[in-house]
Amino acid sequence: MGLIKTKGVVIATANSQDNDKVLTILTPDLGKIPVFYKGAKKTKSSALSSSEFLSFSEFVLYKSPNDNYSINSAEVIEVFYNLRTDLDRLSYATEISKMIYDVTEENIPAPDILSLFLNTLFVISETDKNLDLIYSIFQIRLLAILGFLPQVSSCVNCGEPMTENMKEFYFSIKEDGVKCENCQKLDKGVIRLSKTAFSALIYALSCDSKRLFAFEIPDEAINELSVLLKIYCSQKLDKEYKVIKYS
Ligand SMILES: [Zn+2]
């Protein structure tokens, strides 16, 4: 009860009565929480406010005796301005926030997910990196945080190690990892990956979070990752996600 100070990103908004809004905020310690924002629509229109979708702010929240949150005060930290002026960037950020919404819950701390989310929004907003690549990297890392770590060092079936001189790799969605040349022949569900795409997958699974988006790969490899992640993600999260593309 009382006042709670927390940082958070608005991942959904809904209009309430008059000038009020109900925000869904992802916080590090409280997880995903619904927050009532009285007078949200009256805040100065000259500046993007804390009640905007995808704004990152520091909030002082009031928690009522029956566990409802409302905003006491809020200070914007980052609005990711370019997301608001470019439909494609917004579209990717929106799909990412839907995924985040689906995998988080109230009272389950989510510092790693929030950190990945902010990192991803920053790269989408402030760089000209390929959006499909950013989206794939985000998905790989999100699945890893959620505990879906595919086996990538050796064949899931026979244990044969993957080596540097292999040119192609075969990812089995059904069995959560790579298969060797021989074993993949018996699995109709494998997805073929070039060495470049496979290396990118391993990098995104294991690198330091500060270096997560610090690589480029050719378009062909980006496409391979997109195909893999679309299927892998929908299987693991039990839902289809699709980015609407404008250009
Ligand atoms: Zn094998």
Side-chain angles (χ1 to χ4, degrees):
M1 266 176 277
L3 293 178
I4 299 166
K5 202 174 191 180
T6 183
K7 289 177 178 166
V9 182
V10 177
I11 56 173
T13 71
N15 288 330
S16 185
Q17 287 178 333
D18 300 327
N19 289 310
D20 307 337
K21 273 186 180 180
V22 177
L23 312 178
T24 305
I25 299 175
L26 182 70
T27 70
D29 299 328
L30 306 167
K32 176 183 73 180
I33 50 170
V35 175
F36 184 67
Y37 197 169
K38 195 165 175 53
K41 287 189 267 174
K42 275 194 300 193
T43 50
K44 282 234 183 324
S45 55
S46 58
L48 281 159
S49 80
S50 300
S51 65
E52 301 276 338
F53 177 52
L54 301 176
S55 277
F56 176 49
S57 303
E58 176 142 315
F59 297 96
V60 177
L61 305 174
Y62 173 72
K63 191 177 184 184
S64 73
N66 53 355
D67 285 353
N68 290 321
Y69 294 99
S70 58
I71 290 181
N72 191 280
S73 66
E75 199 172 320
V76 176
I77 299 170
E78 175 64 61
V79 293
F80 303 108
Y81 183 74
N82 296 329
L83 299 180
R84 298 156 205 287
T85 56
D86 181 313
L87 279 179
D88 277 317
R89 288 178 208 253
L90 179 62
S91 185
Y92 280 82
T94 301
E95 210 53 35
I96 281 167
S97 66
K98 279 186 202 164
M99 258 181 213
I100 296 271
Y101 188 99
D102 290 342
V103 302
T104 50
E105 286 176 55
E106 186 165 350
N107 292 327
I108 297 185
D112 293 346
I113 292 178
L114 178 63
S115 166
L116 171 65
F117 189 31
L118 288 169
N119 205 350
T120 309
L121 290 179
F122 179 83
V123 179
I124 293 175
S125 175
E126 305 303 318
T127 73
D128 286 323
K129 228 178 161 54
N130 183 294
L131 290 167
D132 283 321
L133 179 58
I134 299 172
Y135 187 49
S136 287
I137 295 171
F138 163 80
Q139 290 173 95
I140 293 168
R141 201 63 170 211
L142 180 67
L143 290 175
I145 293 172
L146 295 172
F148 301 115
L149 278 167
Q151 180 176 324
V152 287
S153 59
S154 58
C155 172
V156 286
N157 197 41
C158 73
E160 187 185 313
M162 298 294 124
T163 61
E164 277 289 310
N165 50 25
M166 289 176 166
K167 288 194 177 67
E168 280 191 324
F169 296 83
Y170 308 92
F171 193 97
S172 169
I173 298 281
K174 212 169 59 192
E175 290 173 58
D176 256 334
V178 284
K179 285 196 170 174
C180 69
E181 173 75 41
N182 279 333
C183 295
Q184 66 88 14
K185 287 175 184 156
L186 303 168
D187 185 340
K188 289 201 170 64
V190 292
I191 292 176
R192 195 180 295 251
L193 293 174
S194 65
K195 190 173 184 170
T196 309
F198 184 68
S199 304
L201 172 69
I202 291 185
Y203 180 87
L205 279 171
S206 57
C207 74
D208 185 277
S209 58
K210 288 194 185 78
R211 307 282 305 154
L212 186 55
F213 294 99
F215 68 92
E216 304 279 349
I217 50 174
D219 287 354
E220 276 169 48
I222 293 175
N223 290 340
E224 290 175 51
L225 284 182
S226 296
V227 170
L228 172 69
L229 268 305
K230 187 174 166 46
I231 301 169
Y232 198 44
C233 234
S234 69
Q235 204 225 35
K236 293 298 170 199
L237 303 183
D238 214 7
K239 189 169 169 181
E240 297 271 340
Y241 293 91
K242 193 176 187 320
V243 174
I244 299 163
K245 295 186 185 183
Y246 292 90
S247 59

